[in-house]
Amino acid sequence: MIDTLQTNVIYCGDNLEVLPKYIPDESVDLVYIDPPFNSSRNYEVFWGEAQERRAFEDRFGDAMTYLDWMRPRIREIHRVLKPTGSFYYHCDWHASHYVKVELDRVFGFDSFVNEIVWHYKRWPAGRHQFQRMHDVILFYSKNRGQHFFSPLLESLTEGTLKRWRGMKSRVDYKDGIRQVTKMTQEASKGTLMDDVWDIPVINSQAKERLGYPTQKPLALLERIISASSNEDEVVLDAFCGCGTTLEASAKHKRRWIGIDFSPTACRVMADRLEKRLGLKEGVDFELRDMPKTPEQLRRMPPFEFQNWAVVALGGIPNKVKVGDYGIDGRLYLADMEKEHRGDFMETLDRWYPIQVKQIDRVGRPDIDKFETAMRRDKRLKGYFIAFGFSQDAIREIKRANTADGLDIVPITVDEILTHERVATSIS
Ligand SMILES: C[S@@+](CC[C@H](N)C(=O)[O-])C[C@H]1O[C@@H](n2cnc3c(N)ncnc32)[C@H](O)[C@@H]1O
């Protein structure tokens, strides 16, 4: 554990290791997190944790596993928050009810501040229910009543203002003209923002869109940061994804810390800060603990290497490996959501398999086995990641494509490390 906090740093690593190692007690003003399990595509992600097989239907069991995984992380976040600090936990209907109970335990029931509903419009799904069009953000203070909060105003639309004027003039008729005029002027500045936020999801044409499947809108993070921190204070995101929190923090002159397990996510964040805000890596911010060389990756334990490779591609690692025929991960493409018209379970069935081998030359037998796995799972496209491929393997990939219509994409570790192939570029 170090005594002094370093800010404007992206740490590549598991937050459960990074937080105790680098973040001192009571050093952070605001924490926002948006962990996996807040959408179908993240459903199975408990990186490298418990090995047991879990049935999709077993929701309750899943939630408990999820909470067991989250609990020590929530405790760490509680530890690093200043006494005046605030914590925002972004989730949705899958887990919000369980998470709230857990947060009440760690932060205290009285430290709950708000349940914010982020309401948005997206492609409708399922005709037997009301459309699910909101996420939940649970807002807690470290200590009840001691947290910093700067109230935000929501400007009124012309229509609302007119209605208000109408209402006020009726009141005016009863209560006297002076009071009415004052109230209408106050109202025109805006009203105190409530806990239901209408913010559009990032559309496919949006400038801020990076193609990272779970990217949150900048406007959402800007609200949280403006309400719960001051300039120069420290904002932490321990599940940072493509770095929305970091961009919003830097834009509003806050100091920041980002943590993500995925080297790809960390790279996307660094590029984002550079491209969108002109910040220079090594000058304005640091990117730490990235696996940088093929040698480091060769030395990784096999399970971690598989996770690294699957995540680098934007996929979700499988928890259970079933002998040689098991695949190592699944890729759910962002665009699949648009195709999706069915229910949650149906979404889970739309994926491409990913096979990973921590070897220098994938041979033809490895490709044969992957073909068998693809056929078994009824997949026509799949990704194979390794340090290299033999000529035989490449020939077999071509043959399988022409003869059987199987599209196997070979990807080398070098291609991933040089960012030629990351999640954002796969189509
Ligand atoms: C839902 S995404 C966050 C998206 C983010 N809010 C944005 O706008 O880009 C969750 C992220 O948590 C990361 N993650 C999952 N487990 C982690 C862990 N144990 N430590 C650090 N990061 C983790 C994943 O790699 C993923 O990028």
Side-chain angles (χ1 to χ4, degrees):
M1 162 94 71
I2 52 164
D3 299 337
T4 45
L5 178 71
Q6 301 196 14
T7 54
N8 300 357
V9 182
I10 300 168
Y11 292 101
C12 183
D14 186 334
N15 45 32
L16 196 55
E17 286 164 24
V18 173
L19 286 165
K21 193 166 163 196
Y22 294 113
I23 318 292
D25 293 356
E26 303 194 343
S27 58
V28 173
D29 296 279
L30 164 63
V31 180
Y32 164 89
I33 61 168
D34 168 24
F37 194 70
N38 66 342
S39 76
S40 53
R41 113 169 11 93
N42 286 320
Y43 194 74
E44 271 269 80
V45 190
F46 307 112
W47 314 105
E49 294 288 318
Q51 298 285 314
E52 84 280 19
R53 182 186 281 282
R54 293 176 300 111
F56 279 142
E57 294 83 355
D58 184 9
R59 288 283 154 67
F60 192 71
D62 282 343
M64 291 305 116
T65 310
Y66 173 71
L67 287 184
D68 286 346
W69 184 82
M70 274 308 299
R71 189 169 301 115
R73 292 169 167 87
I74 296 173
R75 288 190 195 287
E76 269 301 300
I77 287 168
H78 185 264
R79 177 187 66 79
V80 304
L81 270 175
K82 286 185 188 166
T84 49
S86 298
F87 177 41
Y88 289 73
Y89 192 124
H90 192 139
C91 48
D92 67 12
W93 63 271
H94 293 97
S96 60
H97 46 312
Y98 299 111
V99 170
K100 180 158 191 305
V101 173
E102 191 60 38
L103 294 180
D104 282 347
R105 284 207 183 107
V106 178
F107 280 74
F109 183 79
D110 286 344
S111 295
F112 168 76
V113 184
N114 278 126
E115 177 178 283
I116 297 162
V117 170
W118 168 34
H119 175 245
Y120 43 74
K121 290 280 178 212
R122 63 176 176 193
W123 198 269
R127 295 184 151 272
H128 302 287
Q129 67 196 40
F130 295 109
Q131 295 305 308
R132 290 186 180 135
M133 301 276 184
H134 79 274
D135 283 9
V136 172
I137 303 170
L138 299 167
F139 168 18
Y140 279 75
S141 60
K142 168 101 177 226
N143 291 303
R144 183 183 178 209
Q146 287 186 35
H147 63 289
F148 168 79
F149 188 74
S150 167
L152 302 182
L153 291 179
E154 202 157 19
S155 50
L156 296 173
T157 60
E158 208 31 55
T160 313
L161 263 175
K162 265 191 199 148
R163 270 202 310 282
W164 269 55
R165 283 189 196 111
M167 275 162 53
K168 298 298 181 247
S169 53
R170 277 198 292 281
V171 177
D172 170 34
Y173 184 71
K174 272 197 207 154
D175 291 349
I177 193 137
R178 247 165 22 119
Q179 188 190 359
V180 168
T181 315
K182 192 163 169 255
M183 282 175 72
T184 320
Q185 274 166 0
E186 283 300 309
S188 63
K189 285 187 202 155
T191 48
L192 284 173
M193 190 172 282
D194 63 36
D195 54 6
V196 179
W197 297 356
D198 269 291
I199 298 177
V201 285
I202 300 174
N203 71 55
S204 57
Q205 307 306 317
K207 269 202 196 131
E208 68 180 277
R209 186 173 195 268
L210 296 167
Y212 200 79
T214 54
Q215 183 181 354
K216 299 297 176 294
L218 196 60
L220 183 80
L221 269 302
E222 290 192 72
R223 270 193 198 183
I224 292 172
I225 286 164
S226 308
S228 287
S229 67
N230 276 306
E231 272 190 22
D232 236 23
E233 287 186 344
V234 180
V235 179
L236 164 74
D237 187 336
F239 293 85
C240 213
C242 64
T244 311
T245 308
L246 309 191
E247 179 176 345
S249 303
K251 190 174 159 191
H252 289 269
K253 301 194 171 54
R254 272 60 169 169
R255 292 181 287 146
W256 50 262
I257 300 157
I259 307 172
D260 203 289
F261 183 84
S262 151
T264 307
C266 294
R267 174 48 57 204
V268 170
M269 282 183 233
D271 291 351
R272 172 181 193 162
L273 293 171
E274 200 151 332
K275 285 202 190 95
R276 289 185 47 94
L277 299 177
L279 301 179
K280 290 259 166 302
E281 186 183 329
V283 180
D284 302 307
F285 69 92
E286 302 283 335
L287 178 52
R288 302 235 173 105
D289 299 344
M290 288 281 278
K292 284 201 177 67
T293 62
E295 286 62 44
Q296 283 172 328
L297 292 162
R298 277 195 181 90
R299 283 200 301 271
M300 268 188 180
F303 186 72
E304 268 189 44
F305 175 77
Q306 281 168 11
N307 275 357
W308 172 86
V310 170
V311 169
L313 212 64
I316 294 175
N318 269 14
K319 289 179 68 187
V320 183
K321 319 282 176 203
V322 191
D324 271 351
Y325 294 104
I327 52 138
D328 300 310
R330 298 168 171 214
L331 184 66
Y332 294 86
L333 290 183
D335 285 349
M336 286 186 182
E337 196 160 272
K338 289 185 210 137
E339 292 164 20
H340 168 57
R341 305 283 185 278
D343 65 8
F344 173 61
M345 297 307 285
E346 212 179 286
T347 314
L348 290 174
D349 196 43
R350 292 163 190 254
W351 52 274
Y352 297 144
I354 304 172
Q355 180 71 277
V356 181
K357 289 262 175 229
Q358 202 177 15
I359 57 176
D360 283 323
R361 272 161 65 89
V362 167
R364 182 183 168 146
D366 300 312
I367 302 294
D368 287 341
K369 282 178 190 157
F370 189 41
E371 286 171 27
T372 309
M374 285 172 70
R375 285 198 193 91
R376 185 203 55 205
D377 287 334
K378 303 191 177 58
R379 306 289 126 179
L380 286 176
K381 182 167 182 165
Y383 296 87
F384 206 125
I385 306 174
F387 288 91
F389 295 83
S390 70
Q391 286 306 318
D392 262 4
I394 297 294
R395 268 195 290 277
E396 175 54 23
I397 286 173
K398 286 189 180 139
R399 191 211 59 77
N401 195 339
T402 328
D404 307 333
L406 291 182
D407 183 8
I408 297 173
V409 184
I411 297 181
T412 64
V413 168
D414 270 348
E415 282 176 313
I416 294 177
L417 286 174
T418 53
H419 327 127
E420 284 169 31
R421 308 276 192 109
V422 292
T424 48
S425 66
I426 289 172
S427 58

